[in-house]
């Protein structure tokens, strides 16, 4: 009797279609099935980590307290708004956005949009203006930033490369990302690719111990970062790791020699595993505000950044920089660091962010 149409041949009982397939064909089908299973695993993982942002919204609220304080003037301006006061109110609203590091271009664009909608009679109360303001910011983030889920590819191990300037929080962000993955049952391998700073390897070893992850370090003190990363990916393939997290040395975006080294790191990862790295995440220090934009431009030009991690948004930073960097480069923010704890690297969610910055 023929196998039912919904049953794949390689899953059929002996004597049916599977028995008539050559060993090579059966192996190919099994390989395809395994690849599909891995793709599904990574798709679910990216979505699950993103969804955790919604349950962690209180963390975002505490992280953006300074921005929320700066924007508290919005309610004051709009509570007693009337049509005759429109120009004055919008000028003060523009100033509040600038103080919160939204940047001149975005601030002007938002205010011009509101002015036009008020003039056309679409906004008739202070509450409607505030709702339109929040909607404008959300549309900027979603239209320019795209999907902020991690894109982990279709085969194991997924490879994530972390880059950034000195002192931005790269190694710490990598450790916190490992913590996120381990909480979802993911088998994580760290690669200590920052071979120039002795403390970086020690720091990553501590994170590996804290999160229960494995680590590849340079036994040869003269080892170059590309060699360490290549070794890690090969081990990841050989030993069945789900994710390989690759640390790199911090470097100023103006040091072109060191920036070119990142190109070498990217190339060896692709050579060790076609399609790698799946993500290149640039760590940006949120306390630098709009000054981070030049860093982001340079790193993106050199290695092709796929997402941002904004760190040190611990209540002192001005959160408008999140919107500025997305609008300028069209690259999504994937995580934000809102504190010192292991759980304080939060998946970025545009809706939660907008709710967090407005009182």
């Amino acid at each position: 009797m023929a196998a039912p149409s919904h049953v794949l041949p390689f899953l059929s009982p002996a004597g049916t279609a599977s028995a008539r397939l050559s060993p090579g064909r059966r192996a190919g089908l099994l390989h395809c099935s395994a690849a599909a299973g891995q793709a599904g695993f990574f798709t679910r993982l990216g979505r699950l980590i993103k969804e955790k942002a919604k349950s962690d919204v209180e963390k975002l609220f505490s992280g953006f307290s300074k921005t929320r304080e700066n924007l508290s003037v919005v309610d004051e301006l709009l509570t007693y708004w009337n049509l005759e006061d429109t120009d004055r109110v919008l000028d003060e609203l523009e100033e509040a956005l600038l103080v919160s590091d939204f940047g001149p271009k975005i601030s002007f664009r938002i205010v011009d949009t509101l002015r036009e909608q008020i003039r056309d009679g679409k906004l008739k109360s202070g509450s409607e203006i505030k709702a339109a303001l929040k909607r404008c910011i959300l549309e900027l983030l979603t239209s320019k930033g795209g999907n902020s889920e991690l894109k982990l590819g279709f085969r194991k191990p997924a490879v994530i490369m972390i880059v950034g300037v000195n002192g931005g929080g790269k190694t710490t962000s990598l450790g916190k990302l490992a913590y996120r993955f381990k909480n979802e049952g993911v088998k994580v391998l760290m690669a200590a690719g920052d071979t120039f700073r002795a403390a970086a390897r020690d720091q990553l070893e501590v994170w590996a111990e804290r999160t229960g992850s494995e680590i590849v370090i340079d036994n040869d003190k003269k080892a170059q970062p590309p060699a360490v990363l290549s070794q890690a990916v090969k081990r990841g393939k050989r030993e069945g790791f789900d994710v390989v997290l690759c640390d790199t040395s911090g470097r100023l975006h103006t040091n072109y020699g060191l920036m070119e080294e990142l190109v070498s790191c990217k190339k060896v990862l692709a050579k060790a595993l076609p399609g790698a790295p799946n993500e290149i995440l640039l760590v940006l220090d949120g306390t630098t505000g709009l000054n981070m934009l030049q860093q982001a431009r340079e790193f993106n030009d050199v290695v092709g950044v796929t997402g941002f991690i904004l760190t040190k948004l611990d209540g002192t930073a001005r959160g408008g920089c999140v919107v500025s960097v997305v609008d300028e480069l069209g690259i999504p923010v994937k995580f934000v660091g809102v504190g010192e704890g292991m759980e304080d690297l939060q998946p970025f969610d545009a809706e939660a962010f907008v709710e967090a910055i407005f009182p």
Side-chain angles (χ1 to χ4, degrees):
M1 182 177 65
S5 59
H6 66 278
V7 178
L8 291 174
F10 62 87
L11 295 177
S12 303
T16 61
S18 64
R20 297 193 296 272
L21 291 175
S22 68
R25 175 62 173 158
R26 285 199 300 274
L29 288 170
L30 286 167
H31 176 75
C32 289
S33 176
Q38 291 181 6
F41 168 80
F42 286 127
T43 299
R44 290 191 299 274
L45 179 61
R47 187 177 300 126
L48 182 62
I49 288 177
K50 171 72 182 295
E51 284 298 313
K52 290 297 180 73
K54 298 184 186 301
S55 62
D56 291 335
V57 69
E58 289 302 320
K59 295 283 186 180
L60 283 175
F61 271 73
S62 62
F64 290 109
S65 59
K66 180 64 174 178
T67 303
R68 195 162 59 256
E69 179 184 329
N70 289 335
L71 292 175
S72 63
V73 69
V74 172
D75 278 343
E76 298 172 20
L77 290 170
L78 297 178
T79 298
Y80 301 106
W81 171 85
N82 59 68
L83 195 58
E84 291 76 17
D85 284 340
T86 295
D87 288 338
R88 177 188 63 81
V89 167
L90 290 182
D91 285 346
E92 293 189 37
L93 175 58
E94 184 179 288
E95 183 178 347
L97 293 174
L98 290 169
V99 167
S100 298
D101 262 5
F102 277 85
K105 184 170 68 172
I106 293 175
S107 299
F108 299 159
R109 192 190 313 165
I110 290 172
V111 169
D112 284 347
T113 299
L114 295 176
R115 181 177 283 110
E116 182 178 340
Q117 292 179 357
I118 292 170
R119 187 182 63 234
D120 293 345
K122 297 177 180 178
L123 304 177
K124 300 178 181 179
S125 68
S127 60
E128 289 182 357
I129 294 172
K130 182 176 179 181
L133 169 62
K134 294 167 69 173
R135 193 161 53 246
C136 281
I137 296 171
L138 182 59
E139 287 174 358
L140 275 171
L141 289 169
T142 53
S143 64
K144 291 293 189 76
N147 193 334
S148 60
E149 287 181 16
L150 286 172
K151 304 298 184 185
L152 300 177
F154 303 101
R155 70 180 78 181
K156 295 182 182 181
V159 179
I160 299 175
M161 182 174 164
I162 309 291
V163 301
V165 301
N166 297 295
K170 283 186 300 74
T171 304
T172 299
S173 295
L174 187 151
K176 292 178 179 179
L177 190 55
Y179 175 78
R180 280 271 174 192
F181 281 129
K182 291 295 289 186
N183 277 355
E184 305 304 334
V186 174
K187 187 178 180 183
V188 176
L189 178 64
M190 297 179 176
D194 186 351
T195 61
F196 295 114
R197 188 168 64 94
R201 185 180 71 175
D202 296 340
Q203 185 182 2
L204 202 62
E205 285 185 291
V206 170
W207 274 107
E209 184 176 349
R210 291 174 73 184
T211 61
S213 304
E214 296 290 320
I215 187 170
V216 171
I217 60 176
D218 57 308
N219 293 318
D220 180 358
K221 297 299 182 183
K222 297 180 180 179
Q224 296 299 304
V228 176
L229 300 189
S230 177
Q231 179 187 351
V233 172
K234 290 175 181 176
R235 179 181 167 188
K237 289 169 58 179
R238 186 174 62 249
E239 299 183 17
F241 282 89
D242 297 315
V243 176
V244 179
L245 298 176
C246 299
D247 197 13
T248 59
S249 303
R251 64 206 70 219
L252 290 174
H253 55 287
T254 53
N255 189 321
Y256 297 106
L258 287 178
M259 290 294 281
E260 283 299 313
E261 182 190 74
L262 287 180
V263 177
S264 299
C265 289
K266 183 179 178 180
K267 286 180 177 177
V268 301
L269 291 174
K271 185 176 180 180
L273 181 65
N278 303 96
E279 292 270 14
I280 299 177
L281 301 181
L282 171 61
V283 176
L284 295 169
D285 182 343
T287 62
T288 63
L290 292 174
N291 293 326
M292 70 174 63
L293 281 174
Q294 187 57 37
Q295 295 176 25
R297 291 189 198 105
E298 295 290 343
F299 275 93
N300 187 47
D301 286 345
V302 172
V303 291
V305 174
T306 61
F308 298 118
I309 298 176
L310 295 188
T311 61
K312 306 181 184 179
L313 298 175
D314 55 1
T316 60
R318 293 170 292 185
C321 60
V322 173
V323 186
S324 296
V325 74
V326 171
D327 180 72
E328 177 82 14
L329 295 170
I331 297 170
V333 175
K334 302 216 169 182
F335 292 91
V336 289
V338 293
E340 297 298 322
M342 286 201 298
E343 71 283 357
D344 289 336
L345 185 70
Q346 300 295 314
F348 182 73
D349 180 88
E351 291 183 24
F353 166 76
V354 172
E355 291 302 319
I357 64 173
F358 285 98

